[in-house]
Amino acid sequence: MARFDFDTLTDRTDSAAAKWADRTENEKRAGIVPMSVADMEFSCPPCVIRACEQAARHGIYGYTCADERFIQAVKGWMLRRHGLEISPEEITVIGGVVPGIALAVRAFTKPGEGVIVQPPVYPPFFSMAEANGRRLEKNPLLRDASGRYRMDFDGLERLASKPDVKLMVLCSPHNPAGRVWTREELERVRDICAPNGVILVSDEIHSDLVLHGPHTPMLNVDENAVMLIAPSKTFNIPGLQLAVALIRSPENRRRFVTELSSSGHGSVNYFGRAAAVAAYEEGGEWLDEALEYIGENYRVLASFFARELPDLTVSPLEGTYLAWVDFRPLGMQKEELDRFLREDCGLILAPGHIFGKEGEGFERFNLALPRAHLISALDRLGGKIKEIQHAQ
Ligand SMILES: Cc1ncc(COP(=O)(O)O)c(C=O)c1O
């Protein structure tokens, strides 16, 4: 018996939701639910809503710290869900995972030095290095005919052995490829990076959102890694701006924390802390049900493409709630594809080219939405493509 409701759509028009605010007047009138930015169209777990209400009723929203209850909540979650033992001094609260990437870039590299990223990948992986004057070293993922991605270890070896390459930013699980890297794959990354003195920053914001796992926390493979985690994607609370850097190496922690304090950051969001405690202590059952629902949404999407548009390959989804579809067989240029999907089909997606040139011709579907809205989006797409085929 389902305990939680993922079928009801909450209207976010008046909540300044970034994704909803981006709609045109026509799209608003048509009631189109965007499938672009990676937050969920599901209400947060009831335990999180209760914790926020209680925190709001308190009436004093003062300077907040990472207290013992918060530390224990993070520790307990990581041990129960991921088999990772962490001690309190390894936990540093930050305002988000992207700020964590920027801090790591500044802490572990100098201007002009190289940072390895593996496109197609979440765009701030590029911008946090480039905006800080570092050089991008791209090691594109390899894709097979089934749409499954893997890492190019030879390419990685070549880049990691350059003397001024000091950092690799890994996306684990990978957005948008949907891969949950295996322990063996992560060990190979460590075996290439460590001897070359390349520090690994592992963005594990999607690590709780695993459909086919298990997820392997990088600290269980590499003691020197900087792991970035957050309750934000998992429990749909990214607006509360709280994430955690887990750093075991005292030297790496010193460098990261120095960068954090010298940039003036380091305070803890009052509501973020309250929500994170509730989510990590009590949100597990909600997450299990959310993952089942997302898994079924993926099956609906994958069978739609297999049945109606078999030329377009959907990558297998092991983790994240983001499906990655290859639209290149339609033969459209990227601007034409963007326009066709948005204006003709009424689909608001994340266009693949924002994830690097390797993503051109692909589209990313956010599957964390009520199923009825996913189905109507797919119907609009199928109908439009049939119309075109008949006209030809
Ligand atoms: C891989 C990855 N890292 C980081 C973020 C965002 O992190 P934050 O909002 O904590 O800065 C996202 C959001 O989509 C993401 O997909």
Side-chain angles (χ1 to χ4, degrees), residues 21 33 64 66 80 115 121 133 153 179 190 243 291 297 303 308 312:
V33 180
T64 303
R80 288 194 309 278
V115 175
V121 75
F153 292 110
R179 276 298 316 279
R190 174 206 58 202
L291 287 172
N297 276 0
S303 53
E308 305 288 334
L312 309 190

Side-chain angles (χ1 to χ4, degrees), residues 12-13 16-24 28 34 342:
R12 296 170 73 188
T13 311
K19 189 168 33 175
W20 284 53
D22 175 48
R23 295 181 307 168
T24 63
K28 284 182 195 162
R342 183 136 186 178

Side-chain angles (χ1 to χ4, degrees), residues 217-228:
M218 201 63 204
L219 276 177
N220 274 348
V221 170
D222 175 10
E223 294 267 304
N224 282 317
V226 171
M227 247 178 80
L228 303 173

Side-chain angles (χ1 to χ4, degrees), residues 43 124 142 152:
S43 283
L142 305 173
D152 176 359

Side-chain angles (χ1 to χ4, degrees), residues 148-186:
R148 192 166 192 266
Y149 284 82
R150 62 194 163 82
M151 293 190 224
D152 176 359
F153 292 110
D154 295 333
L156 185 57
E157 180 88 58
R158 266 194 308 280
L159 298 183
S161 59
K162 292 189 184 179
D164 66 346
V165 169
K166 299 287 166 56
L167 192 74
M168 170 169 183
V169 192
L170 184 72
C171 197
S172 175
H174 194 99
N175 167 17
R179 276 298 316 279
V180 173
W181 306 115
T182 64
R183 177 178 271 273
E184 292 67 33
E185 287 172 308
L186 296 174

